[in-house]
Amino acid sequence: MRAILFQVRNQPTLLLANAGNLRDSWRWLGNETLVRDKLGFAGEPDQRLGAFGEHLRVVLLRDRNSRDEVPQWYAPGKDNDTPGFGVGLWVSQDGAPDNLVFASTADVPKNFPKVPRGLRKLSGREGAGPAPTVAAWNPQYLELTVLGCPEQDEAATWAAIAHQLRFHDDYVPLARPLPMHLAKLAEEYLSPQPTDGGSLG
């Protein structure tokens, strides 16, 4: 990571890091070790962000990570009557003025078929209504922490950039920003897979 940051130190750079994916190999990403506007690597003291490039910005993402690390969510419907899904970049109502943690949510895609309300997978009574035949598509909630941004008033801007990268003309709303989505696809494509269902040898 340091070698890559050194190579791009003279260019404006946005480092998007998924805490769940990197926490085991980059121990500094644990909640108890993070330090605002600094980066840390094993065996060395934390360094200020500017040491890795004057124009480096860091946004740390956290998703469900198969461990419910972020909450399920919903948004009020029209006239605050019926809850549903909404799209947006959110901050906590009781967040401090120097808040660096944001929530990014995506709406259900326009081409996704409407699912009738009231469907239940489990029902305790007969004739309780139709049951779903397919799993519903739930938009992903992402926690965005603008970890490295020396100009405090820019934190919301960088969170908005990371949020907006979830939306692209060629895709339905993405679970993560487009560069991370493409990196995941490349990883899946390049990972060796057994061709006969057996183990790799």
Side-chain angles (χ1 to χ4, degrees), residues 65-110:
N65 194 29
S66 301
R67 298 187 298 193
D68 294 333
E69 289 195 28
V70 296
Q72 295 183 353
W73 65 277
Y74 70 91
K78 292 180 181 174
D79 301 323
N80 293 330
D81 56 354
T82 306
F85 294 120
V87 59
L89 182 66
W90 314 88
V91 294
S92 174
Q93 289 181 342
D94 56 355
D98 60 348
N99 173 66
L100 299 176
V101 180
F102 301 82
S104 168
T105 58
D107 201 357
V108 175
K110 301 274 188 252

Side-chain angles (χ1 to χ4, degrees), residues 11-160:
Q11 303 171 32
T13 303
L14 172 61
L15 173 61
L16 297 168
N18 186 314
N21 288 349
L22 290 174
R23 198 179 290 133
D24 289 339
S25 56
W26 190 2
R27 298 283 184 185
W28 184 80
L29 290 179
N31 289 340
E32 67 283 354
T33 54
L34 291 175
V35 179
R36 178 178 172 170
D37 295 330
K38 292 190 176 184
L39 286 181
F41 296 94
E44 296 184 5
D46 296 347
Q47 292 183 299
R48 63 179 182 78
L49 200 63
F52 299 94
E54 182 183 348
H55 302 289
L56 174 64
R57 302 297 180 260
V58 180
V59 177
L60 184 64
L61 286 82
R62 200 161 60 127
D63 56 18
R64 290 178 52 92
N65 194 29
S66 301
R67 298 187 298 193
D68 294 333
E69 289 195 28
V70 296
Q72 295 183 353
W73 65 277
Y74 70 91
K78 292 180 181 174
D79 301 323
N80 293 330
D81 56 354
T82 306
F85 294 120
V87 59
L89 182 66
W90 314 88
V91 294
S92 174
Q93 289 181 342
D94 56 355
D98 60 348
N99 173 66
L100 299 176
V101 180
F102 301 82
S104 168
T105 58
D107 201 357
V108 175
K110 301 274 188 252
N111 60 350
F112 190 78
K114 293 206 177 276
V115 177
R117 293 192 184 274
L119 294 180
R120 301 284 185 267
K121 284 189 176 182
L122 300 174
S123 175
R125 60 185 200 279
E126 227 174 281
T133 56
V134 295
W137 184 92
N138 288 326
Q140 181 88 27
Y141 173 109
L142 280 183
E143 181 183 277
L144 305 175
T145 302
V146 184
L147 188 60
C149 182
E151 299 299 327
Q152 174 55 44
D153 57 347
E154 293 181 359
T157 301
W158 288 103

Side-chain angles (χ1 to χ4, degrees), residues 168-189:
H168 190 275
D169 291 343
D170 293 337
Y171 296 94
V172 299
L174 298 171
R176 57 184 61 89
L178 182 63
M180 299 182 87
H181 173 77
L182 296 176
K184 181 69 174 168
L185 293 179
E187 177 188 23
E188 291 172 2
Y189 179 76

